[in-house]
């Protein structure tokens, strides 16, 4: 049985929670699913202070002691993950953003490969389409296989027409997600994902060293030499384009290092 965990960034039990419950019920109709809803409003999550210790030394050095690791463990134990948020001023809610920031180091060292991700946005009027795209992009950066999310719209009190619209959108979304859960866990990456991997790892290889946790992680995983994050057969086009991305990133990093040296000398000169 597939396990799905949904993280909801609304402190109210209204539109977003309702859409998530409907989504999980519709998903269950497609096949047996074991699910859990986690209300981020009930979790203890600190606000990231930007020290970057998680990037540079390791996540265990984070000064915040909160529910971060317990929530990550829930994702690790799941086959499918949903991030759901209300639209607040054309963005995710603060609850959802705090959660995403706590996962920042997983953006540097992605780990949720083989798992399926999607997003749900609840809103009163408009602007949620871009939030869905943002959340789906976050899911991809964390390593998930992403199924396009959806946005539901309703004012309070909800009209019958709005309720029907939500039902249709969510039923379609649940079917899409169910198909996603059945797809191969380790697909051939899109060119965009391949580009992200190659540019990132080449930059890291040139600009960082063993003192840095990201560097050590990539070295341990063999990601400085591998075709992609996980073992996958790339066709000729992806192999060629992949090595082109490596070369472009290497040149940009070397130029950047040279420029940074000059800038540092100039900066010191102006201030001494
Ligand atoms: C601070 C705040 C900002 C909001 N900004 C937007 C917005 O930019 N666009 C929109 O369509 N709805 C906006 N809304 C309306 C919410 O998206 C809407 O009330 C939604 O139902 C909230 O989700 P919930 O019912 O799960 O709490 C905003 C609501 C609040 C409280």
């Amino acid at each position: 049985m597939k396990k799905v965990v949904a993280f909801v960034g609304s402190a109210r039990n209204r539109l977003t929670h309702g859409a998530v419950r409907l989504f999980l019920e519709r998903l269950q109709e497609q096949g047996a699913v074991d699910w859990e809803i986690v209300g981020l409003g009930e979790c203890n999550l600190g606000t990231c202070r930007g020290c970057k210790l998680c990037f540079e030394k390791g996540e265990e050095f984070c000064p915040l002691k909160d529910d971060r690791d317990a929530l990550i463990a829930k994702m690790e134990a799941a086959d499918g993950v949903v991030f759901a948020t209300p639209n607040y001023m054309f963005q995710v809610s603060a609850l959802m953003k705090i959660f995403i920031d706590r996962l920042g180091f997983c953006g540097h060292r992605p780990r949720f490969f083989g798992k399926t991700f999607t997003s749900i946005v609840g809103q009163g009027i408009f602007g949620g389409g871009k939030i869905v795209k943002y959340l789906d992009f976050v899911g991809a950066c964390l390593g998930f296989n992403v199924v396009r999310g959806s946005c539901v719209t309703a004012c309070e009190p909800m009209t019958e027409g709005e309720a029907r619209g939500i039902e249709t959108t969510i039923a379609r979304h649940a079917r899409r997600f169910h198909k996603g859960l059945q797809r191969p866990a380790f697909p051939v990456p899109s060119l965009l994902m391949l580009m992200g991997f190659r540019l990132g790892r080449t930059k890291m290889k040139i600009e960082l060293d063993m003192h840095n946790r990201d560097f050590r992680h990539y070295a341990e995983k063999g990601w400085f030499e591998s075709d992609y994050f996980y073992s996958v057969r790339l066709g000729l086009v992806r192999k060629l384009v992949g090595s082109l991305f490596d070369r472009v990133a290497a040149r940009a990093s070397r130029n950047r290092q040279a420029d940074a040296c000059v800038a540092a000398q100039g900066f010191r000169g102006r201030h001494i």
Side-chain angles (χ1 to χ4, degrees):
M1 192 188 310
K2 299 279 185 185
K3 271 180 113 170
V4 176
V5 59
F7 298 91
V8 184
S10 173
R12 311 190 315 159
N13 193 2
R14 302 277 178 85
L15 180 63
T16 316
H17 270 278
V20 167
R21 264 195 312 276
L22 187 62
F23 174 81
L24 294 170
E25 281 163 21
R26 293 291 166 270
L27 191 61
Q28 194 127 47
E29 287 165 12
Q30 314 277 312
V33 179
D34 178 17
W35 51 260
E36 180 184 6
I37 297 178
V38 179
L40 294 175
E42 280 125 52
C43 299
N44 168 29
L45 284 174
T47 306
C48 174
R49 298 173 195 162
C51 65
K52 296 201 270 186
L53 280 173
C54 59
F55 297 161
E56 288 158 11
K57 285 185 76 180
E59 63 270 29
E60 61 277 26
F61 292 92
C62 178
L64 301 175
K65 301 297 166 221
D66 60 11
D67 291 343
R68 179 197 70 183
D69 292 347
L71 298 184
I72 289 176
K74 284 184 189 293
M75 288 194 265
E76 296 277 17
D79 304 290
V81 172
V82 183
F83 282 10
T85 181
N87 172 354
Y88 282 178
M89 288 302 287
F90 314 109
Q91 248 306 341
V92 297
S93 66
L95 280 176
M96 177 53 73
K97 188 60 170 63
I98 283 170
F99 175 53
I100 291 172
D101 288 350
R102 298 297 285 122
L103 303 175
F105 72 92
C106 304
H108 279 219
R109 307 188 286 275
R111 56 160 75 191
F112 299 109
F113 304 113
K115 299 178 188 297
T116 308
F117 174 96
T118 199
S119 63
I120 295 176
V121 174
Q123 67 178 2
I125 305 170
F126 96 109
K130 284 191 177 151
I131 306 175
V132 168
K133 283 197 180 140
Y134 164 68
L135 285 176
D136 289 352
F137 182 70
V138 167
C141 292
L142 297 175
F144 289 105
N145 299 325
V146 177
V147 169
R148 181 168 44 84
S150 67
C151 175
V152 294
T153 306
C155 288
E156 292 173 87
M158 191 185 289
T159 65
E160 273 191 26
E162 286 168 341
R164 273 198 306 277
I166 292 171
E167 176 64 58
T168 308
T169 302
I170 292 293
R172 207 179 289 146
H173 187 182
R175 283 197 295 276
R176 215 161 52 232
F177 191 69
H178 180 255
K179 274 193 201 149
L181 281 171
Q182 316 307 316
R183 276 196 214 110
F186 300 96
V188 174
S190 66
L191 283 177
L192 188 70
M193 292 305 294
L194 185 64
M195 180 178 80
F197 170 70
R198 294 297 183 94
L199 296 184
R201 70 101 178 262
T202 303
K203 178 177 166 65
M204 220 176 266
K205 192 174 179 181
I206 293 175
E207 295 183 26
L208 302 180
D209 58 30
M210 286 302 260
H211 297 292
N212 181 282
R213 178 65 175 264
D214 287 345
F215 185 97
R216 290 201 299 279
H217 188 83
Y218 271 63
E220 280 158 22
K221 295 275 180 194
W223 287 347
F224 287 134
E225 294 79 34
S226 62
D227 280 344
Y228 192 58
F229 285 116
Y230 48 77
S231 175
V232 65
R233 251 187 152 189
L234 298 184
L236 186 62
V237 171
R238 277 177 170 69
K239 272 196 181 294
L240 290 174
V241 174
S243 45
L244 182 69
F245 290 144
D246 281 331
R247 277 204 301 266
V248 168
R251 177 188 272 199
S253 280
R254 289 199 189 98
N255 287 344
R256 197 185 169 280
Q257 280 183 321
D259 288 352
C261 255
V262 172
Q265 281 162 9
F267 189 76
R268 269 197 297 275
R270 277 202 300 278
H271 285 82
I272 288 169

